[in-house]
Amino acid sequence: MKPGLEAIIGLEVHLQLRTRSKLFCACRNAYGAPPNTQTCPVCLGLPGALPVLNGEAVRMGIALGLAVGARIRERSTFYRKQYFYPDLPKGYQITQGPVALVEGGVLEIPGDPAVRPGSGPVRIGLERAHLEEDAGKSSHDQRPEATLVDLNRAGVPLLEVVGAPDLRSPQEASDFLKALHRLVVFLGICEGNLEEGGFRCDANVSLRRVGEATFGTRVEVKNLNSFRFVKQALAFEIERQATLLGAEGTVVQETRGWDSERGETRSQRSKEAAMDYRYFPEPDLPALDVTEAEIAAVRSALPELPEARSLRWRSAFGLGADEAATLLQDPAFAGYFEALAAASGHGKAAAHWMLGEVSRTLNERGSGIEAFPVTPAALAELVCLVETRQISFGTAKDQVYPALVAGEGSAATIVARKGLAQVSDRAAIERLVAQVLAANPGPVAQFRAGKTSLQGFLVGQILKAGGGRLDPKAVNEVLAEGLARE
Ligand code: ADP
Ligand code: MG
Ligand code: ZN
């Protein structure tokens, strides 16, 4: 982007809540069922059917609010947002829009050094989060002559999270989205599947001259169903707006869609064409009242949040921030690590196994930790064999671990069966050291003449003679003694 210009970005995220039933009826809330099998008079909008609010969805909204330090409104209200679309059977969507359950709150992100030189983490504000129902789904590409409508999704609970215009670059937008994603997945309120539409993001972006106090005209970009698309679409849009402003043109307030194949945003509708939804209070639902006791109950049931876990691991196990962040990629993976660290008593080593071998296995198999065949306790045994120097890390990694994953018994059994135990027996090592020293008179003489760098070569020869099973630390000690003698 041109120097002197600054990008202002605010994200709106719709996340599907993981409730058992829909927001206003008892229909199952589950993705992937045969079309139109999860519907009832309420979510089909049949005359006379009355909505009843799902308390589980309210508690999930409160959980997010508490996790970001927001205010939970004692009384919030529902409205009808009216528009016509084939997948909206009632002709309106029930939403909290104007008076939201959750107000304010913050999420911390790293802060992009490209736009905030020298800045540490930055706090990004949330404007609000509100409950609303999802619409059904239209498919335009299954039959050439028709559009198909599936109403299983109609009435599924959504929490719309509206971020403040505090983000300053595509990188920050992507970091914010990832932080929010991780939070809601760890809270257990959202599955976070971007491709299936369980976590949908719209990005608002405008430009202004650095130092200017007011914001420029914003454009809303839709159809961003991956973290990468959010970055790409915003980068494209920022360039497009910068070019317009540089040519003395103006940015038009509009909604644009991201075309991932062509790598560009395209106009969908302008502000003039924006719909008037004619919001009015939903007469079939009372106001939503939340008591202090209900909020306290949600607070006491909150799991340990990712940020808190990261800090705990960093101080207890000496992990780096990046290591902790990678271990926190999903709750099950983090839970496995936690169990492995506890069972082995070696947190740092447990982290290295998770980030190294275990991750590699999962990548190769294209599966999650849920399908990993080795229990934390069984892997802990292997971790301990290495940490207590009964086998070398190389042996553990190349020979024991693959056998463990293949189900060939416990780590100790595999080590015994394959005869892999590391030799730390002093007498055995001394014999080998003597042999190698005798076989290498040249290097030994050079070493004694002062070329101490040859110690590495000699250690290598000894380890090789020991078939890779010698304890390197013991070898170094015995060798040093041997070289010092005579
Ligand atoms: P709407 O009701 O049209 O969606 P909102 O006031 O709810 O408008 O704002 C929607 C989003 O737009 C918020 O995420 C906010 O951070 C962002 N936003 C508002 N103004 C700007 C701006 N000038 N540039 C970029 N983002 C903005
Ligand atoms: Mg909005
Ligand atoms: Zn229903």
Side-chain angles (χ1 to χ4, degrees):
M1 186 174 43
K2 290 203 180 56
L5 284 179
E6 174 180 49
I8 306 292
I9 301 168
L11 302 186
E12 294 173 272
V13 183
H14 287 85
L15 46 108
Q16 277 179 354
L17 295 174
R18 276 179 71 177
T19 54
R20 274 157 298 180
S21 53
K22 293 187 182 179
L23 189 53
F24 299 116
C25 61
C27 289
R28 253 168 62 81
N29 168 22
Y31 183 86
N36 299 305
T37 56
Q38 295 174 345
T39 59
C40 75
V42 174
C43 55
L44 289 176
L46 301 189
L50 292 174
V52 178
L53 181 60
N54 182 339
E56 203 185 2
V58 176
R59 286 188 288 277
M60 289 180 171
I62 295 172
L64 175 80
L66 294 176
V68 297
R71 188 167 84 84
I72 311 298
R73 253 187 206 270
E74 279 165 42
R75 166 164 289 194
S76 51
T77 44
F78 290 94
Y79 285 71
R80 290 187 179 180
K81 178 181 179 176
Q82 308 184 85
Y83 59 96
F84 174 80
Y85 208 74
D87 59 24
L88 189 74
K90 290 199 294 288
Y92 58 85
Q93 179 192 18
I94 304 177
T95 173
Q96 286 203 304
V99 186
L101 174 64
V102 175
E103 282 205 328
V106 288
L107 265 184
E108 201 178 271
I109 62 162
D112 181 359
V115 289
R116 302 182 205 254
S119 136
V122 285
R123 290 154 67 85
I124 304 300
L126 299 184
E127 290 181 349
R128 61 179 193 274
H130 61 260
L131 293 168
E132 62 186 30
E133 59 177 339
D134 211 343
K137 208 163 140 185
S138 304
S139 314
H140 307 283
D141 54 1
Q142 298 198 10
R143 296 227 197 122
E145 80 290 0
T147 290
L148 303 183
V149 175
D150 175 9
L151 294 176
N152 284 349
R153 207 178 69 179
V156 160
L158 298 176
L159 190 66
E160 176 174 350
V161 179
V162 182
D166 291 348
L167 302 161
R168 295 291 176 266
S169 72
Q171 178 65 47
E172 289 195 350
S174 156
D175 286 341
F176 173 82
L177 201 59
K178 283 184 181 161
L180 179 63
H181 183 267
R182 187 171 83 169
L183 180 63
V184 299
V185 169
F186 271 78
L187 283 171
I189 66 172
C190 177
E191 285 187 21
N193 193 318
L194 276 73
E195 276 155 40
E196 290 173 1
F199 187 90
R200 312 197 283 266
C201 171
D202 300 333
N204 296 272
V205 53
S206 63
L207 297 187
R208 69 175 172 190
R209 262 163 247 299
V210 175
E212 223 160 74
T214 53
F215 291 152
T217 306
R218 74 178 151 113
V219 163
E220 180 169 2
V221 187
K222 295 200 175 279
N223 193 28
L224 302 172
N225 60 359
S226 82
F227 296 111
R228 194 162 46 94
F229 290 164
V230 170
K231 260 169 94 169
Q232 291 175 349
L234 283 169
F236 175 89
E237 189 54 30
I238 288 168
E239 281 309 317
R240 191 189 68 86
Q241 292 185 18
T243 307
L244 280 175
L245 296 175
E248 303 296 316
T250 49
V251 173
V252 181
Q253 186 172 344
E254 62 182 347
T255 301
R256 298 176 72 88
W258 170 246
D259 181 336
S260 58
E261 265 159 40
R262 299 170 58 162
E264 59 185 36
T265 65
R266 265 197 309 227
S267 183
Q268 289 182 334
R269 63 181 131 87
S270 68
K271 192 190 178 191
E272 286 70 42
M275 281 190 260
D276 177 357
Y277 296 113
R278 309 202 64 121
Y279 281 94
F280 76 86
E282 166 60 65
D284 291 339
L285 283 169
L288 166 58
D289 289 321
V290 179
T291 64
E292 280 301 324
E294 286 165 330
I295 296 173
V298 174
R299 180 177 282 122
S300 66
L302 282 182
E304 186 184 20
L305 300 180
E307 196 49 36
R309 270 180 147 181
S310 165
L311 289 174
R312 179 165 57 80
W313 291 347
R314 286 153 70 183
S315 75
F317 306 142
L319 302 188
D322 288 349
E323 289 174 318
T326 315
L327 290 166
L328 286 162
Q329 57 190 260
D330 81 64
F333 194 78
Y336 189 105
F337 162 67
E338 197 100 67
L340 181 63
S344 66
H346 295 280
K348 181 94 182 169
H352 286 159
W353 277 94
M354 294 301 292
L355 300 174
E357 295 320 296
V358 176
S359 294
R360 211 184 327 277
T361 304
L362 299 182
N363 283 342
E364 278 165 16
R365 302 181 165 205
S367 71
I369 192 82
E370 297 83 355
F372 188 60
V374 184
T375 65
L379 186 56
E381 189 181 312
L382 178 57
V383 173
C384 288
L385 287 175
V386 177
E387 294 311 301
T388 54
R389 297 174 39 213
Q390 298 179 56
I391 55 175
S392 72
F393 177 69
T395 303
K397 179 165 86 69
D398 299 334
Q399 303 191 57
V400 187
Y401 174 81
L404 194 61
V405 171
E408 294 172 20
S410 76
T413 331
I414 294 163
V415 168
R417 184 167 359 100
K418 299 194 174 189
L420 298 172
Q422 188 156 259
V423 179
S424 9
D425 169 28
R426 214 56 190 197
I429 293 176
E430 276 166 8
R431 266 196 307 279
L432 281 164
V433 169
Q435 269 174 32
V436 169
L437 291 187
N440 292 280
V444 170
Q446 281 176 287
F447 179 90
R448 294 216 168 102
K451 202 168 173 205
T452 51
S453 62
L454 278 168
Q455 175 153 354
F457 164 78
L458 292 169
V459 169
Q461 295 299 307
I462 297 160
L463 291 178
K464 209 163 114 193
R469 290 175 40 223
L470 302 186
D471 175 0
K473 193 161 168 241
V475 167
N476 266 299
E477 285 165 10
V478 173
L479 177 64
E481 285 164 19
L483 288 170
R485 234 179 282 134
E486 291 159 47

